[in-house]
Amino acid sequence: MRRLLLAALIFLAVGPVPGAVIRYPQEDLTQSAAARPLAFAPEEGGGMRFVRGWRLVSPHSRFGGFSAIARTAPGQFLLIGDNGYSTRLSLDKRGAVSDVSIHALPTIDGRPARKAAADTEAMFVDAASGKVWVALEGINAIWRLDPGLSQIESRRKLPGPRWPANRGPEAMARLADGRTVVFSEDADDDPRGRAALIYSGDPAAPGPPPVRFFYDSARRGLVSDAAALPDGRILLVHRRLGFNPVFTTIVAIVDPADIKADAVVRARTVGRVPRALAENYEGAAISVEEGRTFLWLVADDNFNVWQRSLLLQFELVDLPSKKAPDSKKAAR
C-alpha cells in the first residue's frame, strides 16, 4: 500500500494531471512574460541565504516546464523546458522583464518533436562561444546547439546499457578543466547509488567513452540538476517527495576529485530551500558578482495549474572547505 501511495504521489507531483492542464484553453504564442515578486523574509544563517525571488508568468502556451537554466549575462537568462521550448528573457533589479523570446528547440528532422524526443532535462552554456549543450532524457542523448538555438551542431547517444527513458540524464555540468559530468535521475537500480558519467571532452561529439561512476544521495532524494562552482566542485540539487510539503529541495556539493571508474561518490549538504518556497526545482545556475557566489533555481510547474514557475536567487556562504589532497597519493 505504501508503494502505491508513493507512486500516486510521484504521478501527481512530477507529471501533468489529466484534466488539470487548463491554463491555456486556446493556443497563445504571445512573446511576453512577467515576474511577480515573492514576499518572503530572508532567514538568518545557513549556507544558502535567500536574496530574492519571483513567480514567472506568461500568456504563451509553451511557457513553463522549466528543467534547466543558464545565466548568460547580468540580468539575462536562458530557460529550457522539458517540452522542448527555450525562453530567453532579461530581468532587471526591479523585477521588470524584457527581451522575451520563446521558441522551439531544433529537431533532427526539422519537424515538431514528440514529447519523448523533446524531453530536455539539463543544459550548460559555453561563455566564450555561446554554444549550448542539452541533455535529453527520453532519447538518452546530448546535443550541442549553436548560440542562436537554431541548429543541432553535433549529437551523441549515451553509451549502453540504455538508461530508463524517464530516469535518464537529469543533471549536467561543464567543469573548469573541460570535462562534463552527467547524473542520471535514477538509472541502473544499483545498490551503490545512481549511475553517472564523466566525459573527458565534448559529450556531444565523437570521442572516448565516458567513465561511469555512482552517486549515493544519502536519502536527499533524486538529483534534479547540477552546476559547477567557482572552486571546481559540483553543486547538486536534489528533489525529495513527501506529503507536506510535496517537494523538499536539498543542495549539496560533490568534489570531482572523488570521481573514478565505478567509484561511489558522496556529497556534503550545504542547505535547502525554505519550506515556504517549496516547489519542484529542476534547474540550477551559478553566478559570481563582486566576489559573491549566487545560486539561481528555477522550478518546473509541469504545466499543472497547482504548480508555479518560480525563480529564486540565493547567496552561497560559508561553504565547506575542499578536502586536502592525500599527501601519500600526492607524493606518488
Side-chain angles (χ1 to χ4, degrees):
M1 177 61 73
R2 292 179 64 183
R3 289 186 178 182
L4 289 175
L5 288 173
L6 180 59
L9 176 64
I10 292 173
F11 176 76
L12 291 171
V14 300
V17 180
V21 188
I22 57 175
R23 292 185 300 156
Y24 308 113
Q26 295 181 339
E27 186 170 76
D28 188 335
L29 301 182
T30 302
Q31 298 283 325
S32 68
R36 299 172 180 170
L38 300 176
F40 178 75
E43 298 177 348
E44 296 295 330
M48 285 173 52
R49 296 182 182 173
F50 178 79
V51 178
R52 51 187 175 162
W54 305 266
R55 179 178 183 178
L56 303 178
V57 295
S58 170
H60 198 289
S61 302
R62 305 295 185 266
F63 183 90
F66 300 125
S67 56
I69 180 174
R71 179 182 174 276
T72 55
Q76 297 179 21
F77 297 91
L78 171 61
L79 309 170
I80 292 197
D82 55 17
N83 61 348
Y85 273 73
S86 68
T87 296
R88 291 188 188 272
L89 56 83
S90 296
L91 181 67
D92 69 17
K93 294 182 178 179
R94 298 176 293 106
V97 176
S98 60
D99 303 322
V100 177
S101 176
I102 305 169
H103 295 285
L105 295 177
T107 58
I108 295 172
D109 58 9
R111 294 183 296 180
R114 295 175 290 106
K115 166 63 176 175
D119 191 356
T120 308
E121 292 291 340
M123 163 184 63
F124 67 82
V125 178
D126 179 67
S129 68
K131 296 184 179 185
V132 179
W133 281 255
V134 295
L136 295 98
E137 187 175 55
I139 59 175
N140 285 312
I142 299 175
W143 295 355
R144 185 180 72 240
L145 309 179
D146 70 301
L149 302 179
S150 62
Q151 62 179 329
I152 303 168
E153 293 186 345
S154 183
R155 55 192 173 96
R156 181 179 179 183
K157 286 276 193 180
L158 270 67
R162 179 179 173 85
W163 285 355
N166 200 37
R167 294 184 292 163
E170 187 74 16
M172 179 172 64
R174 166 67 61 84
L175 305 182
D177 60 11
R179 293 181 296 167
T180 298
V181 63
V182 180
F183 291 85
S184 72
E185 184 175 18
D186 192 17
D188 275 5
D189 193 25
D190 193 289
R192 290 172 290 182
R194 274 84 184 188
L197 303 169
I198 188 163
Y199 292 79
S200 59
D202 185 346
V211 170
R212 184 188 67 165
F213 65 99
F214 296 92
Y215 173 62
D216 178 5
S217 69
R219 293 179 292 184
R220 296 181 183 91
L222 302 180
V223 172
S224 62
D225 207 6
L229 289 166
D231 65 7
R233 289 181 291 180
I234 306 165
L235 179 141
L236 291 179
V237 180
H238 304 77
R239 174 182 58 191
R240 190 172 67 197
L241 298 177
F243 287 96
N244 187 21
V246 174
F247 301 103
T248 296
T249 301
I250 301 172
V251 176
I253 292 177
V254 160
D255 193 334
D258 296 333
I259 297 176
K260 298 175 179 63
D262 291 328
V264 178
V265 174
R266 297 177 175 84
R268 302 170 71 179
T269 298
V270 298
R272 63 180 63 201
V273 173
R275 183 188 185 95
L277 299 173
E279 242 317 337
N280 181 34
Y281 295 99
E282 291 204 19
I286 297 294
S287 67
V288 178
E289 304 169 40
E290 299 179 351
R292 301 164 67 189
T293 302
F294 295 98
L295 167 64
W296 299 86
L297 294 176
V298 70
D300 176 2
D301 66 355
N302 290 299
F303 296 96
N304 282 327
V305 294
W306 59 275
Q307 291 184 255
R308 302 167 294 170
S309 295
L310 300 186
L311 174 63
L312 306 183
Q313 181 186 18
F314 293 89
E315 183 179 4
L316 299 177
V317 297
D318 301 327
L319 295 181
S321 58
K322 296 181 69 173
K323 291 183 296 184
D326 188 304
S327 59
K328 294 181 179 179
K329 292 182 179 180
R332 293 175 183 173

